[in-house]
Amino acid sequence: MNITELTVHELKDKLKNKEISVMDITNSYIDRINDKEKDVQAFVTTLTQEALEQAKNISGEEGEYAGIPIGIKDNICTKGIKTTCSSKMLENFVAPYDASVMEKINQSGMITLGKLNMDEFAMGASTEYSYFKKTRNPWNLNTVPGGSSGGSAAAVAAGMVPWALGSDTGGSIRQPASFCGVVGLKPTYGLVSRYGLVAFASSLDQIGPITKDVEDAAMLLNIIAGHDEKDTTSENIEKKDYTKALIQDVKGMKIGVPREYFGEGINPEVKAKLEESIQTYKKMGAEVEEFSLDIAEYALATYYIIACAEASSNLGRFDGIRYGYRTKNFKNLKDIYRNSRTEGFGAEVKRRIILGTYVLSSGYYDAYYKKAQQVRTLVKKEFDKAFEKYDLILTPTSPTVAFEIGTRSNNPLEMYLADICTVSVNIAGLPAISIPCGVNSDNMPIGMQLIGNKFEEDKILRAAYAFEKEIKFRDNYKPEFRK
Ligand code: GLN
């Protein structure tokens, strides 16, 4: 038995039956990191020594997940451990407190194995915009893992952590999950607390699970979901047990397929695999119907206006005085501000701040920001209308499979297109999952996205679970660490 190939629900069963111990698990993961990290480069900070110490002292009474390892995206604050957002600006930032999700992770008895690489401040779709390193896709090391949670997705795919947390503002959980052949769930806006998540675009950001399978995603969502007084956008709704949704049955479920997501720009092999998946759902007894979501065409432009506007405001605090890196090169206060920001931020972050400041400036506010907010309302309305008819909406997660390192990093527009299928979900505040639905002719994973109505994570999980059981992706395909 190879411990690092097991899912968390399998690990838990084996722990319970005393087939393996917490030390076995910890040691296996540390060996795996020592073996694979040099190729994959998923971690900003590894905590292997700390994990060993913790593992030695685990009695099993610490919580439901005592001794289960996890990896955390490096924009989620961890008390006493660096939280860098993969930026020079926060290279040495040690959070004095835990994010609310981390309190829950710690209470469950889990052991944090490390902080995972990402695009700087979660801006990007390939993890190439990290200040520290470029993470590689375990299926083919010459390709990107996607982004911005590329470290989280690659670490799970490579078996260096059994599961991880990511964050998703426009696709950053789902798109890397799709590129790395794992499961990524972006919860409904307000379901998971954002307290202690370094803000990129506050009205869009959500933390969510990246896992090997759907059952693990439901389990991790159970841990992190719930009302939090420290986050004013956190919703106070009745708690659900998402594992109850995992029944192997989609009979009678109504799935809508928006034709706009299957048109120009979608790679033919991706399209073919998605069409096959639609047939699979039909075979399993779901009702699948095509419809039009024509506002989708405007979602990407709307997203980049809103996200950049909010980012320009959120990142104002990193000025070398209040927060973050301070330049050594200054003669006066103005120099400190200007040079700290010039030296501390990378090119993509600067681009977003400039764009965001522009769309919020007095002469352009009405033409761009206000317009984008109006379109946002229309996007929400179109989804509301769709959910009157359908339980779920099915689309590709990304128009392509993982692309080669270096092929898009100098072309922001090309990079932005990687999220064309995911951003509208954040604009509307909806939940969505990406699960692998097959591979292309080059053995690279393809992701399918299932979008649900607000707080209907259970429906998404049910449909994803049934599909996963049907196609058995993990039994048939594995990352090869191709060089
Ligand atoms: N790729 C998108 C962007 O760069 C999404 C990022 C995210 O979800 N954090 O904005």
Side-chain angles (χ1 to χ4, degrees):
M1 165 180 52
N2 188 343
I3 288 181
T4 59
E5 284 185 8
L6 301 175
T7 61
V8 174
H9 57 90
E10 288 163 346
L11 284 175
K12 273 191 75 187
D13 286 347
K14 296 207 184 304
L15 272 175
K16 199 166 129 213
N17 301 334
K18 303 216 169 3
E19 286 172 61
I20 55 173
S21 69
V22 167
M23 279 315 274
D24 295 336
I25 297 178
T26 315
N27 284 322
S28 303
Y29 273 100
I30 293 175
D31 289 348
R32 183 71 174 177
I33 292 171
N34 289 337
D35 180 27
K36 292 294 177 211
E37 173 60 3
K38 55 183 185 308
D39 286 336
V40 179
Q41 303 278 305
F43 288 83
V44 176
T45 305
T46 43
L47 299 165
T48 45
Q49 277 319 307
E50 293 83 345
L52 264 184
E53 283 310 309
Q54 257 180 288
K56 278 183 201 153
N57 297 319
I58 293 267
S59 67
E61 302 298 305
E62 287 77 6
E64 206 191 332
Y65 290 85
I68 300 288
I70 188 166
I72 306 293
K73 187 178 181 179
D74 211 14
N75 59 351
I76 297 173
C77 285
T78 41
K79 188 174 178 179
I81 299 162
K82 273 192 206 173
T83 298
T84 69
C85 289
S86 291
S87 178
K88 181 174 177 179
M89 187 53 91
L90 291 176
E91 190 173 6
N92 298 307
F93 172 61
V94 177
Y97 67 99
D98 270 323
S100 293
V101 290
M102 285 315 297
E103 286 182 359
K104 294 183 170 188
I105 295 289
N106 294 334
Q107 274 160 18
S108 77
M110 271 188 247
I111 297 178
T112 301
L113 268 182
K115 299 297 292 285
L116 297 163
N117 199 25
M118 53 186 278
D119 286 297
E120 185 177 5
F121 284 102
M123 298 171 187
S126 70
T127 313
E128 290 167 289
Y129 297 148
S130 163
Y131 170 66
F132 302 111
K133 52 173 85 168
K134 291 185 178 41
T135 299
R136 292 165 184 265
N137 189 314
W139 294 74
N140 176 345
L141 298 169
N142 298 310
T143 65
V144 302
S148 64
S149 314
S152 300
V156 173
M160 295 194 287
V161 294
W163 59 7
L165 290 182
S167 73
D168 191 313
T169 305
S172 281
I173 288 176
R174 290 159 286 158
Q175 184 258 18
S178 150
F179 280 14
C180 292
V182 295
V183 173
L185 174 65
K186 178 240 171 256
T188 307
Y189 187 77
L191 183 68
V192 177
S193 171
R194 290 182 299 111
Y195 180 75
L197 168 68
V198 180
F200 160 12
S202 319
S203 77
L204 304 162
D205 300 339
Q206 269 294 283
I207 296 171
I210 297 183
T211 57
K212 288 179 183 166
D213 74 357
V214 176
E215 185 167 347
D216 279 4
M219 287 175 6
L220 191 46
L221 185 64
N222 272 353
I223 301 170
I224 61 173
H227 179 60
D228 180 12
E229 279 178 358
K230 292 190 196 132
D231 172 1
T232 51
T233 59
S234 162
E235 299 272 356
N236 199 350
I237 56 154
E238 204 184 325
K239 232 178 137 60
K240 287 184 183 172
D241 176 359
Y242 296 101
T243 59
K244 292 227 168 81
L246 306 176
I247 50 170
Q248 215 174 314
D249 177 19
V250 291
K251 275 187 209 81
M253 279 187 116
K254 292 206 173 82
I255 301 178
V257 177
R259 64 178 74 86
E260 289 78 6
Y261 286 71
F262 287 80
E264 212 187 316
I266 305 291
N267 172 281
E269 284 194 79
V270 171
K271 193 172 159 184
K273 197 48 82 182
L274 265 295
E275 277 161 1
E276 212 180 295
S277 308
I278 291 171
Q279 292 314 316
T280 305
Y281 270 116
K282 285 188 181 156
K283 206 180 74 198
M284 292 190 295
E287 288 171 36
V288 189
E289 188 183 286
E290 205 178 275
F291 76 106
S292 170
L293 195 78
D294 45 21
I295 197 77
E297 192 189 326
Y298 304 102
L300 200 64
T302 308
Y303 169 79
Y304 275 96
I305 292 171
I306 294 172
C308 292
E310 292 184 21
S312 74
S313 163
N314 277 327
L315 271 56
R317 72 192 68 172
F318 303 107
D319 58 9
I321 299 282
R322 287 174 295 171
Y323 286 97
Y325 168 85
R326 180 180 296 175
T327 182
K328 297 197 175 50
N329 162 27
F330 63 88
K331 291 200 197 64
N332 52 43
L333 184 63
K334 209 166 161 187
D335 282 351
I336 295 190
Y337 286 130
R338 185 195 298 117
N339 295 342
S340 297
R341 286 168 72 81
T342 303
E343 294 160 26
F345 287 137
E348 182 60 29
V349 174
K350 286 179 192 155
R351 184 164 22 244
R352 308 268 178 128
I353 293 173
I354 292 169
L355 259 171
T357 309
Y358 177 79
V359 300
L360 289 174
S361 58
S362 62
Y364 300 98
Y365 182 93
D366 284 349
Y368 296 104
Y369 185 70
K370 194 171 159 207
K371 195 46 120 234
Q373 292 292 11
Q374 288 166 336
V375 179
R376 185 174 194 169
T377 305
L378 295 178
V379 172
K380 284 185 187 157
K381 281 194 179 144
E382 274 216 17
F383 273 112
D384 284 346
K385 215 170 77 201
F387 286 117
E388 282 169 18
K389 264 178 106 176
Y390 307 115
D391 295 303
L392 293 170
I393 295 172
L394 182 156
T395 77
T397 306
S398 188
T400 66
V401 298
F403 44 88
E404 272 182 41
I405 292 176
T407 50
R408 294 198 191 184
S409 46
N410 293 321
N411 187 339
L413 266 185
E414 277 271 303
M415 191 69 90
Y416 296 171
L417 283 172
D419 280 318
I420 193 142
C421 304
T422 47
V423 292
S424 54
V425 170
N426 302 69
I427 292 175
L430 301 171
I433 200 168
S434 175
I435 60 169
C437 64
V439 297
N440 73 357
S441 49
D442 193 29
N443 203 37
M444 292 303 282
I446 295 171
M448 170 175 72
Q449 173 172 243
L450 297 172
I451 308 169
N453 204 353
K454 281 198 174 168
F455 300 110
E456 294 194 341
E457 277 79 1
D458 36 5
K459 278 193 191 167
I460 300 179
L461 288 162
R462 173 178 158 195
Y465 182 77
F467 184 86
E468 182 183 80
K469 289 275 176 228
E470 183 74 22
I471 73 155
K472 300 189 174 59
F473 180 82
R474 269 165 38 82
D475 294 344
N476 294 321
Y477 309 101
K478 278 191 179 52
E480 298 169 323
F481 301 90
R482 239 185 302 160
K483 292 200 179 158

